[in-house]
């Protein structure tokens, strides 16, 4: 279906999957899913595979936290992190199973180092706690925290990457508390979207991969 817009209208297409807002904060989940190339068709999602331009693509769900306590525009404090489709489904399954205690933590360092040898770092914590530090029941048991900063990247002999100990410098950190229903609404929409995306994209990827295999086999017989 084509969208017809006048010359004065600006085209804007949102990648937002789900969002939760308060009068001071916002958390949203964003579509960053990427299909695997034909060479790795069975992956369906791209997990660092290179596209036709040689650029590594990583299929993920973006999470953005915004704090507009100090106002909007330039005064908004914003942090972000990414989770894989599998991690998103895992978190949703734990929520759906009614876990009482939950602790998911992630730390990533990525990107080309700057002139000081520092790379981008994201830290993510998703926790469910029944009681607070004061021992009282928490009305909002889910706690989501994102921190952004920089660190020094170190490469392992096997090609893996990790952050040098004590090199992390935090630039911004935000958090939000959610009750079970609000977090469920966020995550069920993410889960449904991932399934819809896979059902839409996978047939094309698999067909392309199978055709490439058949062509290689045919060329091998000729």
């Amino acid at each position: 279906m084509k969208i017809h817009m006048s010359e004065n209208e600006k085209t804007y297409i949102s990648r937002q999957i789900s969002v939760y807002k308060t009068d001071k904060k916002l958390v949203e989940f964003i579509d960053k899913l990427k299909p695997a190339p034909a060479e790795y068709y069975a992956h369906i999602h791209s997990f660092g595979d290179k596209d036709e331009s040689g650029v590594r693509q990583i299929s993920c769900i973006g999470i953005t936290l915004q704090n507009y306590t100090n106002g909007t525009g330039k005064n908004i404090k914003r942090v972000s992190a990414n989770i894989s489709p599998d991690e998103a489904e895992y978190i949703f399954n734990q929520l759906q199973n009614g876990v009482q205690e939950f602790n998911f933590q992630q730390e990533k360092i990525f990107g080309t180092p700057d002139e000081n040898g520092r790379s981008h770092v994201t830290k993510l914590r998703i926790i469910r706690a029944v009681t607070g530090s004061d021992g009282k029941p928490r009305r909002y048991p889910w706690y989501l925290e994102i921190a952004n900063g920089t660190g020094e990247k170190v490469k392992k002999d096997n090609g893996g990457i990790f952050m040098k100990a004590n090199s992390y410098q935090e630039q911004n950190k935000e958090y939000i508390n959610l009750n079970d229903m609000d977090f469920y609404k966020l995550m069920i929409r993410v889960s449904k979207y991932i399934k819809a995306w896979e059902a839409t994209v996978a047939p094309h990827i698999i067909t392309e991969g199978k055709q490439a295999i058949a062509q290689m086999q045919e060329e091998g017989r000729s």
Side-chain angles (χ1 to χ4, degrees):
M1 181 180 69
K2 292 185 178 180
I3 301 175
H4 299 283
M5 307 185 76
S6 67
E7 294 182 0
N8 295 327
E9 290 179 308
K10 292 183 179 180
T11 303
Y12 174 72
I13 300 176
S14 173
R15 293 182 296 145
Q16 184 185 90
I17 301 171
S18 58
V19 61
Y20 171 79
K21 299 178 182 179
T22 70
D23 59 341
K24 295 180 180 179
K25 296 184 179 183
L26 172 153
V27 59
E28 64 177 345
F29 289 76
I30 302 168
D31 169 27
K32 293 186 178 181
L33 300 179
K34 301 287 192 304
E39 293 85 350
Y40 299 96
Y41 73 93
H43 289 180
I44 300 179
H45 291 271
S46 180
F47 297 114
D49 307 315
K50 293 183 179 180
D51 61 14
E52 295 177 353
S53 303
V55 179
R56 292 189 181 277
Q57 300 289 339
I58 299 178
S59 188
C60 57
I61 297 294
I63 308 175
T64 299
L65 258 173
Q66 295 184 23
N67 184 335
Y68 33 88
T69 302
N70 297 325
T72 58
K74 295 182 180 180
N75 294 319
I76 293 178
K77 293 182 179 180
R78 182 182 290 106
V79 289
S80 61
N82 298 317
I83 55 176
S84 71
D86 292 336
E87 288 170 336
E89 293 286 12
Y90 170 73
I91 294 167
F92 175 63
N93 285 339
Q94 297 302 305
L95 171 62
Q96 201 170 29
N97 290 337
V99 293
Q100 294 299 299
E101 302 287 338
F102 180 74
N103 190 344
F104 175 88
Q105 299 192 47
Q106 175 204 90
E107 178 181 286
K108 293 182 179 180
I109 184 167
F110 56 93
T112 303
D114 61 18
E115 63 274 12
N116 298 315
R118 304 189 65 79
S119 299
H120 295 293
V121 174
T122 63
K123 293 187 176 185
L124 170 66
R125 296 173 65 202
I126 300 178
I127 296 170
R128 189 184 193 280
V130 178
T131 57
S133 57
D134 57 2
K136 296 180 180 179
R138 287 170 53 89
R139 291 178 56 199
Y140 299 89
W142 290 95
Y143 174 84
L144 195 156
E145 175 190 282
I146 297 176
N148 290 165
T150 63
E152 296 179 33
K153 188 190 297 183
V154 179
K155 190 172 184 179
K156 298 180 181 179
D157 293 336
N158 62 4
I161 299 293
F162 68 97
M163 183 168 60
K164 182 179 178 180
N166 302 317
S167 71
Y168 177 66
Q169 293 180 3
E170 190 168 278
Q171 296 173 330
N172 197 6
K173 180 168 68 176
E174 298 296 338
Y175 71 90
I176 193 167
N177 293 296
L178 303 104
N179 61 34
D180 285 326
M181 178 58 75
D182 289 329
F183 194 49
Y184 179 84
K185 288 179 180 178
L186 286 171
M187 294 308 301
I188 192 172
R189 291 170 188 169
V190 172
S191 178
K192 286 182 176 180
Y193 180 76
I194 292 172
K195 289 180 173 63
W197 184 91
E198 291 173 343
T200 303
V201 175
H204 171 72
I205 299 173
I206 294 172
T207 299
E208 189 177 352
K210 293 293 187 181
Q211 288 175 344
I213 291 174
Q215 183 177 347
M216 290 175 63
Q217 292 174 338
E218 184 65 28
E219 291 174 352
R221 287 194 292 267
S222 60

